[in-house]
Amino acid sequence: MLSICSKGIDRMSEERRAFIERVTNETRIQIALSLDGGQIGIKDSILRNADNNNQVAKQATGSQVIDIHTGVGFLDHMIHALVKHAGWSLVLECVGDLHIDDHHTTEDCGIALGQAFKEALGAVRGIKRFGTGFAPLDEALSRAVVDISNRPFAVVDLALKRERIGDLSAEMIPHFLESFAGAAHITLHVDCLKGFNDHHRSESAFKALAVALKEAISSNGTNDVPSTKGVLI
């Protein structure tokens, strides 16, 4: 059973916002997202023991609210890095079948975040559309290039060597990015150019993607559709 409920973009403010509920037999996810930062929250939490969850991926400043609970610590850490450096505010709650493994939780969080991104962005007009980002973390350096294209495609090459990073299967790291790109309807290329520490390689990739997305959805000074076709739907 798949149930998706979207309450849409918040037209009461100038911020680009969305609230997504995604429920399947494998996961239950709630996401509140603002692409322009600011104060956000989820009224009715689905987490039974929120105070007992890992608080590493929780941060509140004057410009951002970030609170991520996927049940997988390293996944929380990667999403936190993405959101922080993209300038978004995000509250993400997931209750998944982690007694099986981390696959459904990671994949479905990527899908739900992509759906929220697409809805919060709204009509693709007045933005730069393309974005490029480079981000180092110590010896690691990653590059990300995105196109807000309505053409879902992802090429991810991180060349990770470890089987797991923390409590997350390494193979699920590129799969999260692929799932996000597919649901967001964007074209995404992410590769790690150098580095030997898999934690550093992964984190630099998420930070590079954040930089690229921040550029791609920034204003181009017009209200035009950034396409020779005249439409991106």
Side-chain angles (χ1 to χ4, degrees), residues 6-25:
S6 169
K7 296 186 180 177
I9 303 170
D10 181 359
R11 297 298 188 188
M12 299 301 293
S13 73
E14 295 180 357
E15 294 180 340
R16 297 168 290 183
R17 295 175 175 237
F19 177 79
I20 293 289
E21 290 179 298
R22 187 176 193 274
V23 181
T24 72
N25 289 335

Side-chain angles (χ1 to χ4, degrees), residues 8-217:
I9 303 170
D10 181 359
R11 297 298 188 188
M12 299 301 293
S13 73
E14 295 180 357
E15 294 180 340
R16 297 168 290 183
R17 295 175 175 237
F19 177 79
I20 293 289
E21 290 179 298
R22 187 176 193 274
V23 181
T24 72
N25 289 335
E26 299 162 342
T27 60
R28 182 180 179 190
I29 298 170
Q30 292 191 142
I31 288 179
L33 173 66
S34 170
L35 298 180
D36 302 299
Q39 299 300 306
I40 59 169
I42 291 177
K43 181 179 179 181
D44 298 313
S45 174
I46 60 174
L47 301 175
R48 295 179 180 176
N49 300 302
D51 291 339
N52 296 328
N53 279 269
N54 192 321
Q55 296 296 304
V56 173
K58 184 172 184 177
Q59 185 176 15
T61 67
S63 60
Q64 283 181 287
V65 172
I66 302 170
D67 195 357
I68 302 163
H69 298 278
T70 67
V72 183
F74 193 72
L75 179 60
D76 289 355
H77 183 45
M78 292 299 97
I79 299 173
H80 187 184
L82 170 64
V83 172
K84 179 62 180 178
H85 297 286
W88 304 347
S89 286
L90 173 72
V91 179
L92 187 159
E93 298 180 346
C94 176
V95 177
D97 57 1
L98 292 175
H99 62 284
I100 296 176
D101 68 5
D102 55 3
H103 183 99
H104 297 144
T105 290
T106 305
E107 180 179 72
D108 288 2
C109 283
I111 292 170
L113 184 59
Q115 291 171 335
F117 173 88
K118 187 175 189 300
E119 183 161 329
L121 185 61
V124 182
R125 59 171 61 245
I127 63 170
K128 292 182 179 178
R129 175 178 167 180
F130 302 102
T132 302
F134 290 83
L137 180 55
D138 296 346
E139 87 297 343
L141 174 65
S142 292
R143 169 182 59 197
V145 183
V146 299
D147 178 9
I148 311 299
S149 59
N150 200 41
R151 297 168 65 89
F153 199 84
V155 179
V156 182
D157 184 6
L158 304 184
L160 301 176
K161 300 178 179 64
R162 289 161 57 179
E163 182 176 347
R164 303 183 71 83
I165 306 176
D167 51 358
L168 180 62
S169 304
E171 67 181 2
M172 293 309 302
I173 296 172
H175 189 57
F176 173 88
L177 298 175
E178 293 161 355
S179 299
F180 170 77
H185 287 213
I186 66 173
T187 298
L188 179 155
H189 290 256
V190 181
D191 52 333
C192 186
L193 303 176
K194 60 178 68 176
F196 56 82
N197 182 293
D198 278 355
H199 184 136
H200 293 171
R201 292 176 69 91
S202 300
E203 188 170 344
S204 68
F206 274 74
K207 289 178 177 177
L209 177 58
V211 174
L213 286 170
K214 188 173 185 178
E215 178 183 23
I217 68 172

